[in-house]
């Protein structure tokens, strides 16, 4: 891409001379203004690669011009050359403090002017290349991160599908409870990043059922006490399956698998955690999971009505469930019903 050079000088002869010298170096016509206010207006929506500005101009002197241009974010690092007389040291010092890069002395020396323009355009080109490389690297990092997240999500989907093959519960249950969990997190004003992680990680809540014997997992009736003790091991088994990952998504899945059967009053399993000692993810998923389990038909029970299940959550807020999570779930009732209608068994 050809460089663009802005020249600002109220003297027509100087403007023509500088424009001619600039074109001989850059290979493109300069953008020239004899009015500094018009030049400022042009800079509002354009980014030159080099600016040559005279000091003595009516309406807006060189110092004022530099001060204004340097406040434009896209022009903060554009090289600026001030054209002034050799003996105006105070003017030069002030210009440097305002952000001038170089100076040209009047009368302009043609060889010196060409060299300065050439060097500063080369400097600007190097700056742009560094910026472009930084942007390219940032883009590549985003792509690599997205690819890692995609692989993590794929792993979760495959683990969840493996659990589904052994579990009489349907894949729609996994999808519904994950969306319910996200809705609760949204209503609690939790960060959007956490909401997405929760949506992706919640389907792993019952992955530990892979380790439960078929005669218990697939039993059509209710489990006896010994069978229930074995079934309850799925929370710890799931945590063991997912343990040790450095990926935030898998870490959250482990946390959910381990804690989604804890109860707010401390009577849950596997660790009898209570209140806010239960991780927030576990408290959220507990509400979403139980609601969907209650409103879904199983071989050993009929589906509860939505209103009955909602009342159960409210009645058990502060006992089985975190009251804040229940309140968030109920306050999003229309969204919950939309998910339930959309993700049918």
């Amino acid at each position: 891409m050809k460089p663009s050079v802005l020249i600002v000088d109220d003297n027509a002869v100087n403007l023509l001379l500088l424009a001619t010298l600039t074109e001989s170096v850059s290979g493109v016509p300069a953008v020239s203004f004899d009015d500094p206010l018009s030049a400022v207006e042009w800079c509002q929506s354009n980014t030159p690669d080099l600016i040559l500005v005279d000091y003595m101009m009516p309406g807006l002197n060189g110092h004022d011009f530099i001060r204004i241009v340097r406040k434009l974010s896209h022009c903060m690092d554009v090289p600026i050359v001030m054209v002034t007389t050799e003996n105006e040291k105070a003017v030069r010092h002030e210009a440097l403090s305002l952000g001038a890069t170089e100076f040209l002395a009047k009368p302009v020396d043609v060889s010196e002017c060409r060299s300065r323009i050439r060097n500063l355009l080369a400097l600007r080109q190097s700056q742009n290349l560094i910026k472009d490389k930084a942007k390219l690297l940032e883009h590549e990092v985003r792509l690599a991160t997205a690819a890692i997240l995609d692989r993590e999500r794929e792993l979760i989907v495959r683990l969840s599908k493996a659990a589904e093959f052994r579990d009489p519960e349907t894949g729609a249950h996994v999808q519904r409870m994950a969306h319910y969990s996200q809705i609760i997190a949204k209503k609690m004003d939790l960060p959007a990043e956490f909401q997405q992680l929760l949506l992706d990680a919640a389907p792993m809540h019952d992955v530990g059922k892979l380790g439960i014997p078929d005669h218990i997992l697939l039993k059509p009736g209710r489990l006896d006490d010994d069978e229930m003790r074995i079934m309850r091991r799925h929370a710890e088994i799931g945590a063991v399956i997912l343990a040790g990952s450095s990926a935030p998504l898998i870490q959250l899945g482990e946390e959910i698998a381990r804690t989604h059967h804890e109860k707010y009053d401390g009577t849950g399993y596997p660790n009898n955690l209570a209140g806010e000692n239960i991780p927030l993810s576990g408290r959220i998923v507990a509400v979403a999971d139980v609601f969907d389990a209650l409103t879904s038909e199983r071989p050993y029970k009929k589906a509860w009505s939505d209103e009955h299940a909602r009342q159960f959550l409210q009645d058990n807020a502060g006992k089985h469930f975190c009251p804040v999570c229940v309140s968030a779930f109920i306050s999003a009732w229309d969204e919950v019903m939309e998910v339930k209608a959309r993700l049918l068994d």
Side-chain angles (χ1 to χ4, degrees):
M1 183 177 178
K2 293 286 188 179
S4 65
V5 179
L6 171 66
I7 303 175
V8 189
D9 196 318
D10 64 312
N11 185 296
V13 174
N14 289 341
L15 201 61
L16 178 60
L17 172 62
L18 292 173
T20 302
L21 292 173
T22 297
E23 184 175 349
S24 69
V25 174
S26 67
V28 294
V31 180
S32 301
F33 289 95
D34 58 8
D35 173 22
L37 292 173
S38 298
V40 167
E41 185 177 350
W42 182 86
C43 286
Q44 301 284 344
S45 54
N46 295 276
T47 307
D49 293 297
L50 176 63
I51 299 173
L52 281 74
V53 59
D54 188 29
Y55 170 62
M56 290 296 294
M57 296 181 293
L60 197 71
N61 66 28
H63 287 166
D64 294 332
F65 179 86
I66 294 172
R67 184 182 290 108
I68 294 170
V69 168
R70 283 299 189 222
K71 290 181 180 179
L72 302 175
S73 59
H74 59 283
C75 292
M76 290 178 65
D77 56 358
V78 173
I80 298 179
V81 177
M82 176 171 278
V83 183
T84 184
T85 59
E86 185 72 47
N87 59 355
E88 291 179 322
K89 289 188 177 180
V91 171
R92 292 188 174 210
H93 290 161
E94 178 66 13
L96 284 172
S97 70
L98 293 171
T101 311
E102 272 283 8
F103 298 94
L104 280 173
K106 291 180 178 179
V108 173
D109 181 279
V110 172
S111 297
E112 180 189 11
C113 183
R114 281 202 183 101
S115 296
R116 291 193 187 280
I117 292 172
R118 185 181 296 108
N119 291 342
L120 289 172
L121 286 176
L123 173 64
R124 180 62 174 172
Q125 185 179 31
S126 298
Q127 289 176 337
N128 289 336
L129 283 173
I130 291 171
K131 285 184 180 178
D132 290 343
K133 286 180 180 178
K135 288 181 181 178
L136 177 61
L137 179 59
E138 182 181 346
H139 177 67
E140 289 176 346
V141 168
R142 280 199 302 268
L143 289 179
T145 302
I148 291 170
L149 287 174
D150 285 342
R151 286 196 292 271
E152 290 172 4
R153 292 190 181 104
E154 181 183 2
L155 172 62
I156 291 166
V157 169
R158 292 179 183 275
L159 278 171
S160 300
K161 284 184 179 294
E164 287 170 27
F165 277 114
R166 300 203 59 247
D167 192 340
E169 296 178 351
T170 68
H173 161 71
V174 170
Q175 295 178 56
R176 285 192 300 266
M177 59 81 58
H179 280 84
Y180 295 157
S181 299
Q182 183 188 37
I183 288 171
I184 294 170
K186 181 180 177 182
K187 278 294 179 180
M188 293 174 70
D189 291 324
L190 297 174
E193 182 182 1
F194 179 79
Q195 294 176 33
Q196 184 62 49
L197 276 176
L198 193 62
L199 176 66
D200 293 333
M204 292 185 286
H205 69 296
D206 276 343
V207 72
K209 288 182 178 179
L210 289 168
I212 303 302
D214 285 350
H215 73 278
I216 295 175
L217 187 66
L218 305 179
K219 184 177 179 178
R222 291 196 172 277
L223 303 178
D224 61 32
D225 290 344
D226 289 337
E227 290 168 335
M228 183 58 74
R229 273 193 291 273
I230 295 172
M231 175 62 86
R232 286 180 173 179
R233 290 187 57 220
H234 81 273
E236 293 177 289
I237 293 171
V240 170
I241 290 172
L242 300 171
S245 175
S246 61
L249 189 55
I250 308 300
Q251 290 174 350
L252 186 62
E254 176 192 354
E255 183 177 87
I256 291 169
R258 187 187 301 277
T259 64
H260 72 287
H261 282 297
E262 300 287 357
K263 294 184 179 181
Y264 201 74
D265 62 5
T267 62
Y269 64 89
N271 295 311
N272 301 118
L273 300 178
E276 294 189 3
N277 287 325
I278 305 169
L280 182 56
S281 63
R283 284 180 270 151
I284 290 173
V285 170
V287 174
D289 186 37
V290 170
F291 176 80
D292 195 72
L294 292 176
T295 55
S296 301
E297 187 172 349
R298 294 289 183 266
Y300 52 86
K301 75 169 190 69
K302 292 186 177 296
W304 289 23
S305 69
D306 299 332
E307 291 72 22
H308 188 187
R310 178 174 63 181
Q311 191 60 52
F312 179 85
L313 295 180
Q314 291 174 311
D315 291 344
N316 286 275
K319 293 181 283 187
H320 186 150
F321 307 108
C322 169
V324 177
C325 296
V326 171
S327 177
F329 185 78
I330 300 302
S331 69
W333 190 251
D334 289 344
E335 292 179 61
V336 170
M337 290 296 98
E338 186 278 326
V339 168
K340 188 171 185 291
R342 176 164 50 89
L343 299 174
L344 297 172
D345 289 332

